[in-house]
Amino acid sequence: MGQIYIRNASYIVTMDKNGTVYSNGDILIQDNKILSVGKIDPSLIHEDAQKINAHDMIIMPGLVNTHVHTSQQLERGLGDDVSLLTWLAERTFPYESSLTEEDSYISTLLCMVEQIRSGVTAFTEAGGQFVGSMAKAVTEAGIRGILSKSSMDCGEGLPEIWKKTTQEELDVQEDNVKKYNNTADGRVRVWFALRTLFNNSDELVVRTKELTDKYKVGYTMHVAEAKDEVEYVTKVKGVPTVTHLHNLGVLDKNLLAVHTVWLTNEEIDLFKKYDVKVSHNPASAMRVLGFAKIPQMLDKGVCVSIGTDGAASSNRMTMIDEMWVTSLIHKGWRLDPTIVKAEQILKMATIDGARSMLADESYGSLEPGKKADLILIDPNDAMMMPMHDPIANLVTAMRNTNVKSVLCDGKWIMKDGVMITLDEKDILQEAKSHADSIRKRAGLVLRDRFPIVKC
Ligand SMILES: [Zn+2]
């Protein structure tokens, strides 16, 4: 693969332990790893290195999105302005259960286009249906993904095709780990996933945790997501969600808990004690779930990352927008403009995202020895200028269009705004026709919001 030498960047935001930012710095990449950052010893640079002039640009680690429903990408627009129950039972369950393997592949490809265009180089799947299709799409896209199957073995209202026994759900996940974990040069990893306590028996939860330890992988779950969920668990189990998971003995450092809106202060302490990781999805939570106690979690040292959720929940699958929303909502509900600062948000979206994916030794910051996952940002437009405070600008002013190039595992996957690994035009065409046919198959008919006059 050789060397890539990117020089003369206005700023290199490394996200290392000290938060080092280099001005007018360079970065040297050897194969798929970072060799040197900052001021580079000229003797390290090979004559035939690919040289990139990053004058007036910002370089930072690729963004890490810790909650993505790849299987909901073609469902965008089917979940707006409805109650949570309608969203779930009348839209999302019928839609997702109508997907074929091919639909899941196209859905994931479209999702990858959106991720790459918004500067993401690593993501965690929330739990979909066809891990093989997702793995194929992620392998082709060139980014990193932790994939999993959504597992459910109980609960009301599940589509017939999803009614599985505990053993069946464990078997298929175990099989996925064996088949796809650590494929595509290690870019594709496979974890276990639990949907929610509405649809997961205690046996499934406990045996899932046992299997994650056996295979040395993580697991992810929607935890204390909705008020209804915590009330339901309290009624059935006698204690709220996180306390119940603690009683089952499954809180651990390899759990990536998603949303975590309805936690007591004692439950936040449990997260800290067991080093449970949190994926904060502010836009989707704002719709219906509520305000997660992110300021308290950060104060207590809980590892918090950011996720976009699915396209049917937050509509914008972009970490850039999600960082902006994160910068606003906690200040708003706490009436305190000094909390959840831009530098904390950048950490959540990079190195702490990598930590949540149990991969902070490998990526999430720009340091020698780490994987070459980075993005080049051009801030020279009316949306991002001037640059009095570049860190604040990255969080509160940057748009997708400022992301010009994306490098993952030492390979360009977008260069100067052009997708390298994926045929974007073709994917958009395929996505249109697949989305229409899934909607029809699922029997979803939406009311017209305005009278439509055919011409
Ligand atoms: Zn989710």
Side-chain angles (χ1 to χ4, degrees), residues 397-416:
M398 181 163 62
R399 313 290 161 89
N400 280 4
T401 45
N402 296 109
V403 178
K404 293 299 171 196
S405 300
V406 180
L407 188 81
C408 183
D409 211 32
K411 291 186 186 129
W412 294 108
I413 51 178
M414 184 168 86
K415 190 115 187 288
D416 301 321

Side-chain angles (χ1 to χ4, degrees), residues 13-17 19-20 34 59-66 119 121-122 144 189 343 345-367 369-375 407-409:
V13 181
T14 65
M15 302 311 296
D16 67 7
K17 266 197 191 74
T20 310
I34 295 165
I59 301 175
M60 65 173 287
L63 299 174
V64 180
N65 185 348
T66 57
T121 53
R144 301 181 192 281
R189 292 158 64 202
E343 57 270 35
I345 295 170
L346 273 193
K347 215 172 149 223
M348 290 157 79
T350 56
I351 188 67
D352 283 351
R355 220 184 122 205
S356 301
M357 290 170 68
L358 308 176
D360 50 322
E361 297 290 312
S362 174
Y363 53 87
S365 60
L366 303 179
E367 297 177 77
K370 284 209 171 176
K371 294 280 165 61
D373 294 7
L374 57 83
I375 55 179
L407 188 81
C408 183
D409 211 32

Side-chain angles (χ1 to χ4, degrees), residues 148-389:
S148 57
K149 184 199 174 294
S150 172
S151 61
M152 293 180 271
D153 65 341
C154 63
E156 305 278 307
L158 286 183
E160 216 40 52
I161 180 177
W162 283 356
K163 288 184 180 158
K164 305 281 183 196
T165 66
T166 310
Q167 192 60 48
E168 282 171 330
E169 287 295 67
L170 292 169
D171 287 347
V172 64
Q173 293 192 86
E174 209 174 345
D175 197 42
N176 285 332
V177 171
K178 286 179 188 160
K179 268 193 197 146
Y180 305 110
N181 191 28
N182 282 323
T183 56
D185 300 325
R187 286 188 293 103
V188 170
R189 292 158 64 202
V190 178
W191 279 11
F192 287 73
L194 293 159
R195 192 99 177 193
T196 76
L197 281 184
F198 277 129
N199 300 106
N200 295 145
S201 68
D202 289 351
E203 186 192 351
L204 181 66
V205 174
V206 170
R207 289 180 65 196
T208 293
K209 169 60 180 148
E210 285 168 6
L211 285 172
T212 65
D213 292 337
K214 179 180 169 188
Y215 288 101
K216 297 189 173 31
V217 295
Y219 70 117
T220 188
M221 180 181 196
H222 300 92
V223 173
E225 173 181 19
K227 195 160 175 256
D228 289 355
E229 175 207 319
V230 172
E231 285 170 359
Y232 163 81
V233 177
T234 306
K235 194 171 142 211
V236 177
K237 309 290 181 187
V239 288
T241 302
V242 171
T243 308
H244 181 61
L245 293 174
H246 178 236
N247 291 346
L248 292 177
V250 300
L251 293 184
D252 203 353
K253 57 185 180 305
N254 69 341
L255 169 59
L256 173 56
V258 181
H259 295 305
T260 63
V261 176
W262 297 91
L263 264 63
T264 63
N265 291 337
E266 292 71 36
E267 290 177 324
I268 294 175
D269 290 338
L270 287 174
F271 270 22
K272 173 62 187 162
K273 182 177 173 191
Y274 292 100
D275 195 17
V276 173
K277 314 298 192 296
V278 164
S279 177
H280 176 41
N281 296 200
S284 127
M286 282 290 284
R287 263 198 183 175
V288 65
L289 305 175
F291 298 100
K293 294 178 181 169
I294 299 302
Q296 289 98 313
M297 291 184 197
L298 292 172
D299 282 350
K300 286 190 171 164
V302 174
C303 177
V304 181
S305 58
I306 300 177
T308 54
D309 210 349
S313 314
S314 66
N315 296 40
R316 297 173 184 226
M317 297 293 289
T318 137
M319 282 291 288
I320 291 171
D321 292 336
E322 217 68 29
M323 287 198 293
W324 176 57
V325 176
T326 305
S327 79
L328 292 176
I329 69 166
H330 303 290
K331 292 172 170 63
W333 74 276
R334 293 273 299 260
L335 293 177
D336 182 354
T338 69
I339 57 169
V340 192
K341 295 181 166 66
E343 57 270 35
Q344 287 177 300
I345 295 170
L346 273 193
K347 215 172 149 223
M348 290 157 79
T350 56
I351 188 67
D352 283 351
R355 220 184 122 205
S356 301
M357 290 170 68
L358 308 176
D360 50 322
E361 297 290 312
S362 174
Y363 53 87
S365 60
L366 303 179
E367 297 177 77
K370 284 209 171 176
K371 294 280 165 61
D373 294 7
L374 57 83
I375 55 179
L376 265 72
I377 295 154
D378 181 358
N380 300 289
D381 65 11
M383 273 81 77
M384 263 188 101
M385 291 301 288
M387 296 290 284
H388 298 301
D389 183 345

